[in-house]
């Protein structure tokens, strides 16, 4: 049998994480610690492997129920190689160091089991209850595999050059950065999207580090009802655009 398909062969590597192609991740487990991956992300494996649901402690379960942010993971262990993917999204491996990484949990494909995760809140400049954005802070030393819809943009943030990013397009940023949610609108109209531009909330980054942005965003529902909470209306809550991203990504 002959076919151009035979050019898509396995890429051999000694690295723990290898991007097999832009949308498929190869993880070597032989001689390494377990890897935590999003549930259902395994597309193939070789060797003697075990897959088990990862235990969530009470704090993690409470944070997920209260904020909609968190990770629903499986533990991959054994001797061999596992291949991970999700909805043909682009995959990027990031080294986490002492500075830490803040991410949108919906875009985490896999991470080292030695890393620590914690849900944090990003406050709105207006101080409105419920109008902030919840993210996941990853600390320790190890690697994490992120996903983006399309090829991303890495923006450098320096003390003399701050960066503004759409809250529904941001994927991750350096934990050391100072960040605040804001909307380009008058405070008396903060419960409305910006005029007829279609733009809503954004994140303002200051300090030294980077912000990772994907070329895609899910628009908040235009018929959102007042009374569901500002976060839901502005597309950054469990029922807004962030929630839609997360639900689409995890299903």
């Amino acid at each position: 049998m002959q076919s151009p398909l035979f050019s898509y062969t396995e890429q051999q590597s000694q690295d723990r994480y290898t991007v097999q192609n832009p949308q498929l991740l190869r993880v070597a487990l032989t001689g390494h610690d377990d890897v935590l991956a999003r549930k259902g992300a395994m597309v193939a494996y070789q060797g003697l492997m075990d897959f088990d649901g990862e235990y969530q402690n009470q704090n993690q379960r409470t944070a997920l129920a209260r904020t909609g942010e968190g990770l629903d993971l499986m533990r991959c262990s054994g001797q061999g190689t596992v291949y991970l993917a999700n909805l043909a999204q682009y995959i990027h491996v990031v080294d986490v160091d002492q500075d830490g990484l803040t991410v949108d949990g919906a875009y985490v494909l896999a991470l080292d089991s030695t890393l620590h995760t914690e849900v944090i809140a990003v406050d709105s400049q207006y101080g409105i209850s419920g109008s902030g954005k919840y993210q996941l802070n990853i600390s320790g030393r190890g690697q994490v595999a992120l996903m983006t819809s399309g090829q991303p943009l890495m923006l450098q943030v320096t003390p003399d050059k701050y960066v503004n990013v759409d809250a529904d397009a941001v994927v991750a940023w350096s934990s050391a950065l100072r960040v605040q949610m804001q909307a380009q609108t008058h405070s008396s109209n903060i419960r409305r999207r910006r005029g007829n531009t279609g733009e809503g909330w954004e994140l303002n980054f200051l300090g030294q580090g980077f912000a990772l942005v994907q070329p895609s965003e899910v628009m908040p529902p235009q018929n959102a009802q007042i009374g569901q909470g500002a976060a839901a209306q502005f597309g950054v809550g469990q029922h807004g655009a962030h929630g839609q991203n997360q639900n689409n990504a995890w299903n």
Side-chain angles (χ1 to χ4, degrees):
M1 187 170 108
Q2 295 182 348
S3 171
L5 288 172
F6 287 101
S7 64
Y8 298 103
T9 55
E10 180 183 7
Q11 302 297 318
Q12 298 295 331
S13 174
Q14 298 300 315
D15 295 334
R16 174 166 168 79
Y17 294 94
T18 303
V19 178
Q20 184 75 22
N21 62 52
Q23 296 150 310
L24 185 67
L25 180 68
R26 177 184 187 269
V27 184
L29 285 173
T30 303
H32 297 282
D33 293 328
D34 298 348
V35 65
L36 301 179
R38 64 188 293 132
K39 288 183 177 179
M42 184 274 291
V43 297
Y45 69 90
Q46 296 174 322
L48 299 175
M49 305 288 295
D50 287 321
F51 303 93
D52 196 8
E54 177 65 2
Y55 170 77
Q56 288 184 326
N57 61 39
Q58 183 60 46
N59 289 338
Q60 291 171 324
R61 292 194 297 269
T62 300
L64 182 60
R66 183 172 61 87
T67 69
E69 182 61 89
L71 298 176
D72 193 12
L73 301 171
M74 63 178 178
R75 180 176 289 265
C76 310
S77 58
Q79 301 295 307
T81 303
V82 61
Y83 299 88
L84 305 172
N86 183 68
L87 300 177
Q89 291 182 296
Y90 285 78
I91 299 170
H92 318 273
V93 179
V94 180
D95 290 313
V96 179
D97 53 24
Q98 67 272 13
D99 292 334
L101 180 72
T102 301
V103 304
D104 185 321
Y107 303 115
V108 174
L109 177 66
L111 71 160
D112 288 341
S113 59
T114 54
L115 291 172
H116 175 71
T117 63
E118 180 184 14
V119 175
I120 61 172
V122 177
D123 293 330
S124 160
Q125 72 178 130
Y126 298 107
I128 304 173
S129 176
S131 65
K133 180 178 177 70
Y134 292 100
Q135 298 288 125
L136 198 68
N137 190 63
I138 301 178
S139 58
R141 288 186 177 273
Q143 291 180 298
V144 57
L146 302 178
M147 304 175 296
T148 61
S149 296
Q151 296 283 13
L153 172 66
M154 182 69 81
L155 294 169
Q156 294 294 326
V157 183
T158 64
D160 59 349
K161 183 180 71 173
Y162 64 85
V163 172
N164 293 319
V165 175
D166 189 291
D168 290 321
V170 67
V171 174
W173 65 81
S174 304
S175 295
L177 291 175
R178 300 191 307 278
V179 57
Q180 187 177 58
M181 290 193 69
Q182 63 181 20
Q184 296 297 328
T185 184
H186 297 296
S187 59
S188 60
N189 293 319
I190 56 176
R191 292 187 179 275
R192 297 174 53 194
R193 294 176 66 75
R194 293 188 210 165
N196 59 359
T197 67
E199 298 296 337
W201 288 86
E202 62 188 34
L203 299 184
N204 175 251
F205 296 102
L206 302 98
Q208 185 75 45
F210 69 87
L212 181 66
V213 182
Q214 66 177 358
S216 174
E217 60 178 291
V218 178
M219 297 297 288
Q222 298 299 310
N223 59 348
Q225 298 297 315
I226 294 178
Q228 293 180 345
Q233 297 170 52
F234 300 139
V236 295
Q238 185 176 2
H239 305 292
H242 169 73
Q244 294 177 30
N245 276 338
Q246 193 170 49
N247 291 334
N248 290 337
W250 291 106
N251 291 327

